[in-house]
Amino acid sequence: MKKLNFLIFMFLSTSVFSQNISLTEFVSKLEKKEGFLNYYWDENNGKVYLELKNLNTEMIYVNYLSAGIGSNDLGLDRGQIGGTRIIKFIKIGPKILMVQPNYKYRALSNNKEEIKSVEDAFAKSTLWGFNIVAKDNNKYLIDISDFVIRDSHKISQRLIQRKQGTFKIDKISSSFDNQNSKNFPLNSEIESFLTFRGIATGGWLRSVSPNSESFSVRTRHSFIQLPDEGYTPRKFDPRAGYGAMTFYDYASPIEDDLHVKYIRRHRLIKKFPNQELSEAVEPIIYYLDRGVPEPVKSALIEGASWWNEAFEAAGFKNAFQIRVLPEGADMLDVRYNVIQWVHRSTRGWSYGASVVDPRTGEIMKGHVSLGSLRVRQDYLIAEGLVRPYAEDYEKNFMKEMAIKRLRQLSAHEVGHTIGLSHNYISSARDRKSVMDYPHPLIRFSNNKIDLSDAYDHGIGDWDKLAINWGYRQFESNEKAQLNKILIDGYEDDIYFITDQDSRPLGSAHPRSHLWDNGFDAADEL
């Protein structure tokens, strides 16, 4: 009993003492990475510490899967975004808590008491609790080692859902990854090397992991300064083809709907507002993965660059640009919109995701993931259609068709990351949008299959209209002018049909389908 009391006394004494240690003294021998949130690495003890200066300050928190598993069936790809949240660090007693405010329910009001009444009415989420190890005045040092070495991407849960086995993090074989962690003035990037151990019960994990009893990945925790107040949200309109972020505004007038929807879009402001065509204060720049080979590289750059024509139609000159990622830059760094080339063991989906400010819908980072095996599948489709096995048969056109598909794919997925939804009515309207799913257009010429026009080239009329609606800058009468853009489109037979009205299950539209061409699917067949 005396021994137990002594141990309790020593633990409590250590806890109290640690909080009274000077922060400057505690970190004096640790490796420091200075930036948005300073952090320190104690390699000898395998500990990582975060310095907090301003408690109760909101910021963005994003978790990523930096290095994936490589199975399309598992769906755990390199660069995958796990979620975007607003968080803040608060002190409660001896603890620092990482709290996620509830932005689904709020009050857009100048009345602080009205705002607080809504905040107090709905639950918050506490994502983690941290021990304070040292402090100096208003600065606190917290131990984030356990927070970093955790399954933030819910990998174990995914494996169970896919019936591929039960795995848990092996902390002995996992660590904070100092080499891949970085710090910048507006964002802190903290990475971990995680090893999972368990028993595989399916073939998907076995097919991609060198050892079915363990596999290792990397995860990323990003802390990002909130954007300034220079962005103006745009209200969602179901006719305009944009994705929406939604919340409930309890300060709205009685006659208005509580449910508010803002579109997701990048911030784009004219340098010269009075000019019909003006350069942007800051253009939207997308960066291509340095690991993409030719001729794929040139195809992806060309396809993505089509969007500049749409932004010109919205009044912006050279406001949408494509560049190769600078050497040494990090694709997960929030400062870079990226197009990454993702490898898997089997062909899988490509997709466009974004880091979005949950308050306003402003896209802070566009993140496109393109499956590298898609181009090979398209080549095989062309080969299967024309069977070019005679010795004198020209085979280059198969590669040409696959490259044309890549240009369209690049434009399509970038379209999602600049805010746009699918528009499957396009194929019934003479290919008016790259946001459709394009079935190859197959024609007959001289009694042979002709694939020369299998995929369209360039941006479509709907794409120009949608970007004009979403990004055009107005001096006055915004609501009326936005409505006019859509009405003018209807008169020119340019319009949008929702994704859910176009898919096989529950489809209510006779013309809007996936993977088709022409006005009538039966005629096409």
Side-chain angles (χ1 to χ4, degrees), residues 151 155-169 196-202 205 212-215:
D151 189 5
I155 294 170
S156 297
Q157 181 177 320
R158 178 69 64 88
L159 293 172
I160 292 172
Q161 289 173 345
R162 297 291 195 272
K163 298 180 180 180
Q164 296 302 302
T166 303
F167 286 80
K168 293 183 178 180
I169 290 177
F196 290 78
R197 295 194 186 279
I199 301 174
T201 56
L205 183 62
S212 62
E213 295 179 357
S214 71
F215 63 91

Side-chain angles (χ1 to χ4, degrees), residues 153-204:
H153 206 75
K154 297 181 172 56
I155 294 170
S156 297
Q157 181 177 320
R158 178 69 64 88
L159 293 172
I160 292 172
Q161 289 173 345
R162 297 291 195 272
K163 298 180 180 180
Q164 296 302 302
T166 303
F167 286 80
K168 293 183 178 180
I169 290 177
D170 176 12
K171 289 193 174 183
I172 295 176
S173 304
S174 303
S175 176
F176 165 73
D177 187 345
N178 190 43
Q179 182 177 353
N180 285 302
S181 296
K182 304 172 181 68
N183 219 345
F184 307 103
L186 301 181
N187 56 303
S188 300
E189 309 293 323
I190 298 174
E191 191 143 320
S192 300
F193 182 91
L194 302 182
T195 298
F196 290 78
R197 295 194 186 279
I199 301 174
T201 56
W204 295 342

Side-chain angles (χ1 to χ4, degrees), residues 52-69:
L52 300 174
K53 296 179 182 178
N54 300 310
L55 298 180
N56 302 303
T57 300
E58 291 186 344
M59 64 189 73
I60 298 284
Y61 167 67
V62 187
N63 66 280
Y64 297 91
L65 185 58
S66 309
I69 293 181

Side-chain angles (χ1 to χ4, degrees), residues 299-324:
L300 297 183
I301 290 175
E302 182 182 350
S305 67
W306 292 346
W307 285 107
N308 189 54
E309 184 180 348
F311 282 95
E312 284 191 353
F316 291 92
K317 179 181 179 181
N318 198 30
F320 188 86
Q321 303 174 18
I322 308 296
R323 301 176 185 172
V324 176

Side-chain angles (χ1 to χ4, degrees), residues 99-319:
V99 176
Q100 179 182 354
N102 194 335
Y103 269 89
K104 186 176 182 179
Y105 302 95
R106 48 180 127 157
L108 301 181
S109 171
N110 294 322
N111 185 334
K112 293 182 180 180
E113 297 302 322
E114 184 178 21
I115 294 172
K116 189 176 186 305
S117 69
V118 177
E119 287 179 353
D120 291 344
F122 296 96
K124 303 171 179 61
S125 292
T126 300
L127 304 182
W128 206 261
F130 304 91
N131 291 319
I132 301 169
V133 297
K135 64 178 181 179
D136 277 344
N137 299 322
N138 65 335
K139 292 195 298 186
Y140 296 88
L141 194 72
I142 58 174
D143 184 347
I144 63 170
S145 306
D146 289 338
F147 172 78
V148 169
I149 309 298
R150 67 188 180 99
D151 189 5
S152 58
H153 206 75
K154 297 181 172 56
I155 294 170
S156 297
Q157 181 177 320
R158 178 69 64 88
L159 293 172
I160 292 172
Q161 289 173 345
R162 297 291 195 272
K163 298 180 180 180
Q164 296 302 302
T166 303
F167 286 80
K168 293 183 178 180
I169 290 177
D170 176 12
K171 289 193 174 183
I172 295 176
S173 304
S174 303
S175 176
F176 165 73
D177 187 345
N178 190 43
Q179 182 177 353
N180 285 302
S181 296
K182 304 172 181 68
N183 219 345
F184 307 103
L186 301 181
N187 56 303
S188 300
E189 309 293 323
I190 298 174
E191 191 143 320
S192 300
F193 182 91
L194 302 182
T195 298
F196 290 78
R197 295 194 186 279
I199 301 174
T201 56
W204 295 342
L205 183 62
R206 288 192 184 101
S207 71
V208 292
S209 178
N211 185 321
S212 62
E213 295 179 357
S214 71
F215 63 91
S216 299
V217 297
R218 297 201 316 272
T219 57
R220 172 75 63 87
H221 306 270
S222 297
F223 297 95
I224 307 159
Q225 181 174 297
L226 283 173
D228 61 34
E229 296 180 355
Y231 174 81
T232 302
R234 181 156 291 179
K235 289 287 187 69
F236 172 81
D237 188 316
R239 302 170 296 170
Y242 279 77
M245 51 83 55
T246 69
F247 63 95
Y248 295 88
D249 177 19
Y250 279 75
S252 61
I254 295 172
E255 65 273 16
D256 290 351
D257 191 352
L258 284 173
H259 196 189
V260 178
K261 296 183 178 182
Y262 292 151
I263 67 168
R264 295 189 290 265
R265 62 171 183 168
H266 288 273
R267 182 185 303 202
L268 195 63
I269 301 172
K270 280 186 174 182
K271 188 180 292 186
F272 306 104
N274 296 326
Q275 294 182 3
E276 171 58 27
L277 186 63
S278 168
E279 293 180 338
V281 174
E282 289 188 23
I284 301 170
I285 303 174
Y286 273 69
Y287 294 89
L288 181 65
D289 192 335
R290 294 180 62 85
V292 180
E294 289 288 8
V296 174
K297 178 180 178 181
S298 295
L300 297 183
I301 290 175
E302 182 182 350
S305 67
W306 292 346
W307 285 107
N308 189 54
E309 184 180 348
F311 282 95
E312 284 191 353
F316 291 92
K317 179 181 179 181
N318 198 30

